[in-house]
Amino acid sequence: MPENPQTSLRIAVAQSTVRQDPTDADGLRASAAEVRRLMQDAAEAGARLVHFTEGAICFPDKVVMSELGPDEIGASDWSKADWAVLNQELDRIAALSGQLGIWTVIPSIHQLPAMRPYNSVYVVSDQGKIFTRYDERMLSTTKITWMYTAGEKPVTFDVDGWRFGLALGLDVLFPELFTEYDRLDVDAVLVSYATTGVTQNEHIGVQVRGTASMNTYWISLAAPANPGAGLESGVADPTGTWVAKGPEAGTPGIAVTDLEKADVSQLGRDFRRKTRARVNS
């Protein structure tokens, strides 16, 4: 990390339309176009980083992907996906990151040879290059049974002296993953979570606020533009307080806030480490 890290960092969290059919080239292009528009909004607002939801380009539906479907659920047939268009749109998103000089955290499907793909988050640098990738670890029953390969490790990256961790999908429900990031000295965790087809997601917001407070670091939650889902995108500070929220109507847009270095973050981390060392000695 730099010797003189910035004490504040402006980020944007996006709330965008999520589509569920990766065989639909026009849908993939429409989602990616909206992502690029929100990236431009974030850059105009002075953000150094913009964070998108799970499925921002596509959140494949198990029915659409089933090799037995659409009337019966079976293993996903990933040859149905329009990988050429998906990769073209990811390339355009990466190129725009470089043009805007902004870091972009964008979930997508990561293709694997002769294996099920990962459900992933790409980190694109302000130079327009893929810097790193995180693969969802705590897959749902549907995802692990029919769709994806599970990831295996945490991922961190630094921007202007701020260290970020990544979480995706149901990772948000597992406190041990966030304790792991606490031990890796992150300043914030970027959580991407899809609500497509599911209502009553208010508990996810509660989970995010509690996790931010327990670990005394920032959490950005990127959720879909999904009216009626009970969840909007937002940023919680190290006390678990929402300091920015996406449009309440569930419409596409961004929320922008300045992350600030806080005494409570290091005080809390020092206390947890000393206490764990004492209890485990």
Side-chain angles (χ1 to χ4, degrees):
M1 299 174 71
E3 293 183 3
N4 297 303
Q6 294 184 13
T7 59
S8 67
L9 185 78
R10 180 163 293 183
I11 70 167
V13 57
Q15 188 166 287
S16 58
T17 304
V18 170
R19 295 173 173 86
Q20 296 182 277
D21 186 354
T23 73
D24 177 7
D26 289 341
L28 295 175
R29 293 188 183 102
S31 290
E34 183 175 276
V35 165
R36 290 191 294 272
R37 176 176 64 79
L38 296 175
M39 289 170 64
Q40 291 172 329
D41 291 346
E44 290 172 3
R48 283 286 287 135
L49 178 151
V50 58
H51 169 213
F52 286 91
T53 186
E54 180 182 21
I57 301 176
C58 186
F59 188 58
D61 186 280
K62 62 184 179 183
V63 173
V64 173
M65 300 312 297
S66 173
E67 64 182 10
L68 304 175
D71 298 322
E72 186 177 352
I73 305 302
S76 293
D77 178 2
W78 287 103
S79 68
K80 295 179 180 181
D82 197 330
W83 291 104
V85 171
L86 180 60
N87 291 331
Q88 288 167 6
E89 295 303 326
L90 283 170
D91 287 345
R92 294 181 69 186
I93 288 167
L96 183 60
S97 275
Q99 293 166 18
L100 297 174
I102 189 171
W103 288 72
T104 301
V105 178
I106 179 74
S108 190
I109 316 159
H110 183 75
Q111 193 172 16
L112 292 171
M115 291 177 62
R116 292 177 180 176
Y118 289 127
N119 186 35
S120 301
V121 182
Y122 292 102
V123 177
V124 183
S125 76
D126 56 358
Q127 302 301 306
K129 305 295 184 183
I130 292 178
F131 185 79
T132 191
R133 189 191 80 241
Y134 172 79
D135 308 316
E136 183 184 4
R137 290 183 278 172
M138 310 306 282
L139 296 174
S140 68
T141 300
T142 292
K143 287 177 177 177
I144 195 66
T145 303
W146 307 119
M147 303 186 77
Y148 298 106
T149 298
E152 297 179 348
K153 61 184 181 180
V155 171
T156 66
F157 67 100
D158 292 358
V159 177
D160 298 344
W162 286 74
R163 177 160 295 167
F164 293 91
L166 297 163
L168 180 61
L170 290 190
D171 288 345
V172 70
L173 299 178
F174 292 85
E176 60 268 32
L177 301 190
F178 293 88
T179 300
E180 187 175 28
Y181 280 126
D182 179 32
R183 290 172 172 152
L184 291 172
D185 290 327
V186 303
D187 298 293
V189 177
L190 308 176
V191 178
S192 300
Y193 178 81
T195 62
T196 305
V198 181
T199 59
Q200 299 179 327
N201 289 274
E202 292 86 354
H203 67 289
I204 298 298
V206 174
Q207 190 90 12
V208 164
R209 293 181 62 200
T211 301
S213 177
M214 284 190 296
N215 293 285
T216 57
Y217 54 51
W218 298 80
I219 295 184
S220 173
L221 172 67
N226 186 8
L231 188 69
E232 293 85 35
S233 294
V235 179
D237 72 10
T239 70
T241 301
W242 290 121
V243 295
K245 293 294 292 290
E248 291 185 4
T251 54
I254 61 169
V256 179
T257 194
D258 292 326
L259 308 186
E260 302 284 351
K261 298 285 187 180
D263 290 341
V264 67
S265 296
Q266 193 58 49
L267 289 171
R269 183 161 286 159
D270 290 343
F271 168 76
R272 289 188 295 276
R273 286 179 173 168
K274 289 177 182 177
T275 302
R276 286 171 181 141
R278 174 175 53 81
V279 170
N280 294 326
S281 63

